[in-house]
Amino acid sequence: MINYKTLGLVNTREMFAKAVKGGYAIPAFNFNNMEQLQAIIKASVDTKSPVILQVSKGARDYANQTLLRYMAEGAVAYAKELGCEKPEIVLHLDHGDSFETCKSCIDMGFSSVMIDGSHLPYEENVALTKKVVEYAHQFDVTVEGELGVLAGVEDEVSAEESHYTKPEEVVDFVTKTGCDSLAISIGTSHGAYKFTPEQCTLDPETGRLLPPPLAFDVLAAIEKELPGFPIVLHGSSSVPQDDVDTINKYGGKMVAAVGIPEEQLRKAAKSAVCKINIDSDSRLAMTAAVRKTLAEKPGEFDPRKYLGPARDSMQKLYEHKIINVLGSNDKLEK
């Protein structure tokens, strides 16, 4: 059993309370490798933002659970080395699919876990989430539950249709499970292909697809039922079209990739939404930079020469999200 506190990590409880009160959201950036982790920590330190290092089950298998433990501990040390005396870094399991997966992460030093029972019948979701909460809270690990289903594909999470969260269920769910935060569905979607062209409208000026708006009426109803309770948005990448264009320019084939407009995410961040998940945008920034470098320098074979620019591109993206979308900059204690 490895307690996250010995690694220098924190859980989300105080972090979320401050965010809800302050009207901003904490960035939850998914990562799979060293370059992503370096970019996340450098961006969070440079902007003085708390941050959630988010790992899916697939990413955990890819990176190896033992290495992840030391990467998380190293992230805290790296933040301090960069001049942040009191970093606030969470290691969070994204879309845990079973009690066993959540328990394994808790035992290996995660400070927060998500148990996703949203695909189950309501009472089964309640029972599974409660079981994870009871285990996690023994070690002061925080738990995110989910009500409602997001469409799209991301790692091993896949659903063809979305189902909005029912506001009339949220109080019962939170009360029965004891979860610390709640992921909801109001129209966000996983992956870079969040919406079909039929769901979008065409911008006459740019010719680009515009996604349907988020259901802020559903969010408002949930806030009314659960005043001050931490709410989470998954599938919140904006799919920057500059990166999509770069990928396509240098040999990629991304057609009809469209994300959540940043102005809608800014609006959400000022509400009880205190955690916003971003994964695809980072993948796009990395892939665009790698493709560009290799296209311009076809003889290059040193990974540092193309992964270095990719890391810089991701850091720029993370800083933009923190400052211009989430508003979590300058929130760390001096």
Side-chain angles (χ1 to χ4, degrees):
M1 178 74 194
I2 299 158
N3 190 287
Y4 69 87
K5 295 175 184 178
T6 65
L7 306 181
L9 301 168
V10 299
N11 66 26
T12 61
R13 192 170 292 116
E14 185 177 347
M15 183 183 286
F16 284 176
K18 290 179 181 177
V20 172
K21 185 177 180 180
Y24 61 91
I26 307 296
F29 296 131
N30 287 67
F31 82 101
N32 305 271
N33 58 33
M34 182 185 74
E35 285 78 17
Q36 284 179 307
L37 183 60
Q38 288 174 313
I40 292 169
I41 297 304
K42 187 74 163 55
S44 69
V45 170
D46 287 355
T47 60
K48 299 181 177 61
S49 172
V51 71
I52 296 170
L53 301 175
Q54 198 155 259
V55 182
S56 68
K57 182 182 176 184
R60 187 173 181 238
D61 292 340
Y62 177 83
N64 177 269
Q65 63 174 10
T66 302
L67 285 175
L68 270 177
R69 166 203 168 179
Y70 289 103
M71 288 175 81
E73 188 173 19
V76 175
Y78 181 43
K80 291 180 178 179
E81 182 182 297
L82 291 171
C84 182
E85 294 183 11
K86 296 180 180 179
E88 294 180 16
I89 300 172
V90 173
L91 181 62
H92 175 77
L93 170 66
D94 188 24
H95 287 288
D97 62 348
S98 68
F99 171 78
E100 289 73 22
T101 297
C102 291
K103 180 181 183 299
S104 176
C105 287
I106 293 165
D107 292 348
M108 285 296 291
F110 279 61
S111 58
S112 176
V113 295
M114 179 203 183
I115 178 64
D116 183 0
S118 61
H119 59 287
L120 299 171
Y122 179 78
E123 292 301 335
E124 291 181 30
N125 187 2
V126 168
L128 176 60
T129 304
K130 181 181 179 182
K131 184 178 181 181
V132 172
V133 168
E134 288 176 344
Y135 184 78
H137 282 184
Q138 296 178 79
F139 308 103
D140 201 26
V141 170
T142 42
V143 178
E144 175 186 326
E146 181 166 0
L147 272 177
V149 178
L150 272 67
V153 178
E154 183 178 37
D155 284 359
E156 59 285 329
V157 181
S158 175
E160 291 186 4
E161 295 183 0
S162 64
H163 301 282
Y164 287 167
T165 303
K166 298 177 181 177
E168 63 270 21
E169 291 181 344
V170 295
V171 172
D172 183 71
F173 184 84
V174 167
T175 302
K176 286 181 177 177
T177 63
C179 65
D180 301 284
S181 61
L182 182 66
I184 63 170
S185 174
I186 59 169
T188 55
S189 182
H190 289 127
Y193 302 93
K194 298 181 183 298
F195 308 100
T196 65
E198 292 75 23
Q199 292 175 296
C200 301
T201 55
L202 196 66
D203 186 333
E205 293 184 8
T206 65
R208 296 190 185 279
L209 294 174
L210 299 175
L214 298 181
F216 282 101
D217 57 331
V218 176
L219 174 58
I222 291 170
E223 286 184 289
K224 185 177 180 181
E225 295 292 329
L226 288 172
F229 191 80
I231 301 299
V232 176
L233 285 188
H234 285 241
S236 297
S237 283
S238 297
V239 188
Q241 292 303 301
D242 286 350
D243 287 331
V244 173
D245 291 345
T246 299
I247 289 170
N248 291 338
K249 177 181 178 181
Y250 295 108
K253 193 176 181 181
M254 297 191 69
V255 180
V258 62
I260 309 299
E262 289 188 340
E263 60 267 22
Q264 294 194 41
L265 296 175
R266 276 192 288 271
K267 181 178 178 180
K270 291 181 171 65
S271 69
V273 173
C274 63
K275 173 177 179 273
I276 292 181
N277 293 8
I278 297 168
D279 186 3
S280 295
D281 285 356
S282 164
R283 298 181 183 194
L284 291 169
M286 186 175 202
T287 300
V290 170
R291 280 190 175 275
K292 183 175 186 293
T293 300
L294 292 180
E296 293 177 345
K297 301 176 182 178
E300 188 58 73
F301 65 93
D302 183 346
R304 294 170 296 180
K305 299 299 184 181
Y306 52 85
L307 291 179
R311 179 182 60 194
D312 295 342
S313 181
M314 287 188 289
Q315 182 184 335
K316 183 179 178 181
L317 168 77
Y318 296 139
E319 291 180 357
H320 166 73
K321 295 290 185 181
I322 288 170
I323 296 170
N324 299 312
V325 181
L326 309 180
S328 61
N329 53 300
D330 299 317
K331 299 301 188 294
L332 288 179
E333 291 184 16
K334 299 294 186 287

